[in-house]
Amino acid sequence: MSNLSFAIAQEAKTKIDPQVNILTMINVLTPIDGDQDALIAQLELALERTMVHEPGFISGNVHRSLDSKHVVNYAQWQDKASLDAFIVKLQAGKAPEMAKVFTMAKPDFHPYAVQSSHLRLN
């Protein structure tokens, strides 16, 4: 984790709470050329340089599959309108770091609302 990522993580942590009305985007990315490391590096760059500055963006988390075949981006947005505004920006070519992620991988993404969260009791 870079120093920038660590600093950001210290200020705003992802919270999974069904009582909070936020939009969760879960994007499963399959690297086109099989290079999971390069995809992760590009996604982290996009999160650090672009996404953390986007209005309505709350958090982004990068998960590496242990079989090296996928990368998951678990992102939280204040609402669908904020996400839609970013998509317009992305399609207009104004978010090149994130656009590059989508040239490196086949995305499968869907919006979600947290239904429930369960924690271990001891």
Side-chain angles (χ1 to χ4, degrees):
M1 180 183 299
S2 73
N3 289 338
L4 180 59
S5 295
F6 183 73
I8 292 166
Q10 293 302 310
E11 294 173 18
K13 295 182 180 173
T14 299
K15 296 178 185 174
I16 300 175
D17 183 350
Q19 302 303 313
V20 178
N21 189 25
I22 62 171
L23 178 74
T24 300
M25 282 296 294
I26 299 176
N27 192 351
V28 179
L29 301 160
T30 303
I32 292 171
D33 65 2
D35 192 347
Q36 185 189 50
D37 291 334
L39 178 59
I40 288 171
Q42 183 61 40
L43 179 56
E44 289 176 340
L45 181 73
L47 286 163
E48 292 172 2
R49 288 194 182 164
T50 302
M51 303 310 297
V52 299
H53 303 288
E54 289 302 314
F57 179 81
I58 297 170
S59 67
N61 301 273
V62 179
H63 303 261
R64 169 192 304 268
S65 70
L66 298 180
D67 65 5
S68 300
K69 294 182 180 180
H70 306 284
V71 174
V72 172
N73 180 14
Y74 179 96
Q76 293 179 325
W77 290 84
Q78 286 179 349
D79 51 35
K80 188 173 182 322
S82 298
L83 174 62
D84 289 345
F86 174 72
I87 291 170
V88 168
K89 183 177 182 176
L90 179 68
Q91 291 173 338
K94 297 179 181 176
E97 290 92 358
M98 188 55 94
K100 186 170 180 182
V101 168
F102 296 120
T103 67
M104 297 172 69
K106 178 183 171 198
D108 181 18
F109 54 92
H110 305 277
Y112 297 88
V114 176
Q115 182 64 40
S116 64
S117 180
H118 308 269
L119 299 172
R120 183 173 180 262
L121 290 177
N122 296 9

